[in-house]
Amino acid sequence: MKEVTLKEIAETLGMSVSTVSKALKNYPDVSKKTKRLVKETAEVLNYKPNAFAVNLRTKESKTIGLIIPEVVHHFFSSVIKGIIARAEKKGYLVIILQSNESYELEKKQLDLLLSKRVDGILISLANGTGDFKHLNNLISQELPLVMFDKIAKIVNCSKVIIDDRKAAYMATQHLIDSGCKRIAHFRGPLLPQNSIDRFLGYKKALMDNGLTYDPSLVYICECGDNSFEEGKENARKLFNDHKDVDGIFINTDLVAIGAMTELNKLGINIPEDISIVGFSNWFMSSVISPTLTTINQPGYDMGKEAFKLLYKEIKKRKQNLPVKFKTVALETKLIKRASTKN
C-alpha cells in the first residue's frame, strides 16, 4: 500500500501542508475544528508519520538496544520483561540481541546498534568478555550505556547489580548452619565479575566459620555456559574425587539441577548425604524433587531499574545536563527448600 503523505491530506481538505502539519502536532494557533477535521481525515486515509523524518527532527529514534548472553535463561527472560514493561510506558522499542557468551559477537552487536542510531544501550556482558575497549568507545561518544548483572567494575557507567558476594556468603552460611563441614563450589567461568564475587563470598563464609578452604573442591564450568550437562559432569567428578563432601553451593540453578539429577542417579540422597544450594530461583527449582534451596535473583526488578537509569541518562544528555553515573544494588534472599536440612 502506498504511503499517505501530508500533501495528500492537504489536497483532500483544500488546506496548506503547513496547516495540516500544525494540526497534527496540536499547535495552539490552529482551531479545534480544523484539528479535528485533519485528524479524522488522517485516520481515514491511514496516515502514518514518517518515523525517519521524526527521528531526524527530534534527534531521537525512540529505540534502545539490549544485549544479553542468552534469551532462554529464566533470569534473563525475567530481565527482558522488566525492561519492556518500563520501555513501553515511555514509548520505546527494544531491540534484543543475544551474544551467546561471545566477546566477538558482542562487539559486532554493539556496532550494529550504533548503526541503527539507538538512543541508548543496556548490556549484560558475555562470559568471554575480558577487554572493555568497545564499551569505553561508546562512553566516549556519550551514548547512554547501562550495565546489569554481569558487569565490568572498571567501565565508568551506570549499573544495576546484586551483591553477589553477600548472596554467596548467605548461601554457604546456610549450608554451614545446617551442619555441613565439607562444602564444594561449582562456580561459573573465570571471567565474569559475578562468578568471581560468588566464589569470593563462598570462600569468605568458610574462613569466617573456621572451615578450611580447599581449592580442589572448586569446580569451574569449563564450557562457560553454566549448563545442565556441566552440572551432571561436575557432580560425577565430585563423586569420584571427594566422597566426604556433604554440601555444595552451585553458581546457577540450571547447573544445580543437573548436579542433583546425576547425584540421584549415583544413589546419593539429597539432603541426607549432600545438601545443595543453587542461585537465581529458576521456576524449575520449585518443581524438581527434592525442591532446590536457592538465592532469589530479582530479574524483573533488575530490568525495570536498568531501563529507569538509561531513560534518565537519555533525557539528561538530550538537554545537555551533567550525567552522574549510579550503581543500584538490589536485595537478594535465600529461599529454603528441601535440598538442604532446614
Side-chain angles (χ1 to χ4, degrees):
M1 185 181 291
K2 185 187 171 195
E3 189 175 304
V4 177
T5 65
L6 290 176
K7 184 179 179 182
E8 287 173 87
I9 298 173
E11 288 175 350
T12 300
L13 296 173
M15 297 179 182
S16 68
V17 172
S18 63
T19 299
V20 169
S21 177
K22 284 182 176 183
L24 290 171
K25 292 173 188 170
N26 245 8
Y27 274 54
D29 59 340
V30 179
S31 70
K32 289 182 180 179
K33 181 180 178 182
T34 300
K35 286 179 186 176
R36 185 172 64 253
L37 181 60
V38 169
K39 288 176 182 178
E40 286 174 354
T41 305
E43 189 174 341
V44 169
L45 295 176
N46 199 28
Y47 167 75
K48 304 291 181 187
N50 186 310
F52 183 71
V54 172
N55 294 346
L56 286 176
R57 187 175 66 252
T58 63
K59 296 183 179 178
E60 279 187 307
S61 67
K62 298 299 284 186
T63 61
I64 61 165
L66 169 61
I67 301 177
I68 56 175
E70 50 183 327
V71 175
V72 296
H73 193 289
H74 167 71
F75 169 70
F76 287 116
S77 65
S78 298
V79 172
I80 291 170
K81 288 176 183 176
I83 290 168
I84 290 176
R86 276 282 174 98
E88 284 184 339
K89 287 182 180 178
K90 297 296 183 180
Y92 278 82
L93 176 70
V94 184
I95 300 173
I96 304 170
L97 300 172
Q98 178 173 297
S99 67
N100 292 326
E101 303 288 10
S102 164
Y103 167 62
E104 292 299 329
L105 184 54
E106 183 179 281
K107 287 195 298 180
K108 289 178 183 177
Q109 290 173 341
L110 279 176
D111 288 339
L112 174 63
L113 292 173
L114 278 172
S115 72
K116 296 296 182 184
R117 299 189 180 277
V118 295
D119 295 334
I121 294 174
L122 298 167
I123 186 169
S124 182
L125 298 180
N127 285 339
T129 299
D131 185 306
F132 310 116
K133 185 179 177 182
H134 58 312
L135 300 169
N136 288 320
N137 283 341
L138 286 183
I139 293 166
S140 68
Q141 296 176 53
E142 298 188 344
L143 181 74
L145 173 70
V146 174
M147 305 175 78
F148 64 91
D149 186 45
K150 293 197 283 186
I151 63 151
K153 290 183 178 179
I154 62 173
V155 174
N156 193 26
C157 67
S158 289
K159 304 173 181 81
V160 184
I161 58 170
I162 60 170
D163 189 333
D164 283 287
R165 290 195 198 191
K166 180 181 175 182
Y169 189 103
M170 188 193 315
T172 309
Q173 186 65 52
H174 174 62
L175 288 168
I176 295 168
D177 291 343
S178 66
C180 297
K181 302 292 185 185
R182 187 93 164 127
I183 302 170
H185 176 40
F186 293 1
R187 62 165 290 172
L190 292 174
L191 276 178
Q193 189 64 52
N194 62 358
S195 178
I196 294 168
D197 286 338
R198 290 174 199 178
F199 162 70
L200 292 173
Y202 152 80
K203 187 176 178 181
K204 188 172 190 306
L206 295 181
M207 297 173 73
D208 284 355
N209 286 272
L211 298 179
T212 302
Y213 164 66
D214 182 351
S216 72
L217 295 181
V218 178
Y219 291 78
I220 298 171
C221 288
E222 300 287 355
C223 295
D225 58 0
N226 290 313
S227 70
F228 178 84
E229 288 301 322
E230 282 194 302
K232 291 175 66 177
E233 183 181 344
N234 282 337
R236 283 194 297 273
K237 288 179 183 176
L238 179 69
F239 179 77
N240 292 327
D241 298 344
H242 301 283
K243 290 187 170 57
D244 58 340
V245 164
D246 55 6
I248 318 173
F249 165 51
I250 302 181
N251 198 50
T252 71
D253 284 355
L254 184 57
V255 176
I257 291 170
M260 290 171 68
T261 301
E262 187 64 21
L263 291 171
N264 284 330
K265 186 177 172 183
L266 292 168
I268 305 297
N269 295 315
I270 303 169
E272 291 80 10
D273 300 326
I274 293 182
S275 292
I276 296 177
V277 179
F279 205 109
S280 80
N281 197 25
W282 184 31
F283 77 94
M284 283 295 293
S285 307
S286 62
V287 297
I288 190 173
S289 182
T291 54
L292 177 64
T293 295
T294 188
I295 296 291
N296 184 59
Q297 197 175 6
Y300 186 81
D301 291 339
M302 185 172 281
K304 291 203 305 182
E305 286 297 324
F307 179 81
K308 184 178 176 182
L309 288 176
L310 188 70
Y311 179 74
K312 283 183 178 179
E313 184 174 342
I314 289 170
K315 292 305 168 189
K316 283 190 175 182
R317 289 202 182 277
K318 189 179 179 186
Q319 297 166 29
N320 293 316
L321 295 173
V323 174
K324 186 176 180 181
F325 298 129
K326 182 179 179 182
T327 296
V328 175
L330 301 178
E331 288 295 319
T332 56
K333 63 180 179 179
L334 180 74
I335 308 295
K336 295 179 184 179
R337 296 196 181 107
S339 67
T340 54
K341 300 169 186 174
N342 296 317

